[in-house]
Amino acid sequence: MQPDIIAIGEPMLEFNAEEAGALSDVRHFVAGWGGDTSNFAIAASRAGGRVGYLTRLGDDEFGESFLKLWQREGIDVTRIVKDPDAFTAAYFISRKGEQHYFTYFRRDSAASRMTPGFLPQDYIAGAKLLHVSGISQAISVSASETVSAAISIARSAGRLVSYDPNFRPKLWALDRARAVIHATCRQADLIFPSLDDARQLTGMAATEEIARFYLGLGPKVVVVKLGAEGALLATADGLRRVPPYKVDSIDMSGAGDTFDGAFVAAYLAGRPVDACLRFANAAAAITTTGLGCVTPVPRLEEIEAFVARPPQ
């Protein structure tokens, strides 16, 4: 299968605490799947997109679990590589009130060993859109070079590039992150920064100022994700704010990735940009009503029904 959408990055097995408290006090965890671009791929597939994924996995049970997950989700895995000398990353989530705490086991993971030579050029060039993230650039120098090479392949073939900066200060220094992320924004067509990330990266506070700054870097579409406050869309036609959908949220994990995946799927389906924004906003809201990054991600029919319901 030649997908329309290809994502590249690092998948991570997730262990999500069932009860609130410090990690040392938690006794029960729900096993699941995470990793921002994997979450994106699943969300895009469930929203109606034809999706493929690129990564290196450890030749282990965690990696096998991901392969089975993606295959169940209809995601093409034919170009994924197994590394017998590395492992598939994992992380733990604990919660105190509305705060989430993440503990990662990812250093020297199989995905961090990606190099440009691993990329299938025909596969990327044959897609309509490539999706990448700042986390994929931060996990290692070779992974960052791989992301850059993938973007070059896509752009040379006239394909779209979507990008979520997903800044993680524990992974790299702010100055380097800012330089790499903003250089990538200049090569992307659609970008999805969160407000918190954008404030750190730009030093700006006002949402509208941030949106105009990123639009000035060259993307056609900028969406500043505002979490519980909705989102701000910036295009050449101006700025438009979309309010949030009200739901009973219990876990924000992966909501931003779901937003990105749903938006891209809707965009490639030819929906107007405003409709893409409402669609993605709804998908992200639904995701927060369940635990984990994958299980609560809605499918196309559920998103459309949610968007169509009368205002409450």
Side-chain angles (χ1 to χ4, degrees), residues 197-279:
D197 288 356
R199 282 175 169 164
Q200 293 181 77
L201 290 165
T202 66
M204 302 173 185
T207 308
E208 291 78 7
E209 183 183 14
I210 288 169
R212 291 190 182 95
F213 169 81
Y214 279 109
L215 192 64
L217 295 181
K220 300 172 184 175
V221 175
V222 174
V223 180
V224 182
K225 295 178 288 190
L226 308 177
E229 301 302 316
L232 178 67
L233 172 70
T235 67
D237 294 329
L239 305 183
R240 294 183 291 287
R241 201 179 268 266
V242 173
Y245 289 98
K246 301 298 183 182
V247 295
D248 294 324
S249 298
I250 63 171
D251 185 2
M252 301 296 289
S253 303
D257 308 326
T258 295
F259 184 103
D260 301 352
F263 190 101
V264 164
Y267 190 82
L268 290 185
R271 301 191 188 212
V273 176
D274 284 351
C276 294
L277 190 58
R278 291 192 297 272
F279 183 83

Side-chain angles (χ1 to χ4, degrees), residues 76-274:
D76 184 64
V77 299
T78 57
R79 306 302 181 96
I80 288 174
V81 173
K82 282 190 173 183
D83 186 338
D85 299 318
F87 63 94
T88 306
Y91 67 101
F92 291 78
I93 304 176
S94 57
R95 297 186 304 281
K96 294 181 183 177
E98 295 185 357
Q99 289 292 321
H100 288 63
Y101 299 89
F102 296 82
T103 303
Y104 294 96
F105 296 90
R106 74 187 327 164
R107 186 181 297 275
D108 296 324
S109 69
S112 74
R113 297 185 177 194
M114 288 188 294
T115 62
F118 132 90
L119 294 172
Q121 296 192 25
D122 60 329
Y123 191 65
I124 296 171
K128 294 179 180 178
L129 179 143
L130 172 73
H131 180 77
V132 298
S133 91
I135 292 178
S136 304
Q137 295 170 308
I139 57 175
S140 71
V141 172
S142 66
S144 183
E145 292 171 348
T146 303
V147 169
S148 296
I151 292 172
S152 295
I153 294 167
R155 286 174 59 83
S156 294
R159 307 313 183 195
L160 296 172
V161 175
S162 67
Y163 181 56
D164 189 329
N166 248 347
F167 173 51
R168 296 293 185 269
K170 290 185 178 181
L171 289 177
W172 52 352
L174 176 58
D175 287 348
R176 180 170 182 270
R178 181 185 292 120
V180 172
I181 286 170
H182 289 170
T184 306
C185 289
R186 292 184 175 93
Q187 301 179 78
D189 300 282
L190 301 88
I191 65 170
F192 305 102
S194 72
L195 180 59
D196 288 344
D197 288 356
R199 282 175 169 164
Q200 293 181 77
L201 290 165
T202 66
M204 302 173 185
T207 308
E208 291 78 7
E209 183 183 14
I210 288 169
R212 291 190 182 95
F213 169 81
Y214 279 109
L215 192 64
L217 295 181
K220 300 172 184 175
V221 175
V222 174
V223 180
V224 182
K225 295 178 288 190
L226 308 177
E229 301 302 316
L232 178 67
L233 172 70
T235 67
D237 294 329
L239 305 183
R240 294 183 291 287
R241 201 179 268 266
V242 173
Y245 289 98
K246 301 298 183 182
V247 295
D248 294 324
S249 298
I250 63 171
D251 185 2
M252 301 296 289
S253 303
D257 308 326
T258 295
F259 184 103
D260 301 352
F263 190 101
V264 164
Y267 190 82
L268 290 185
R271 301 191 188 212
V273 176
D274 284 351

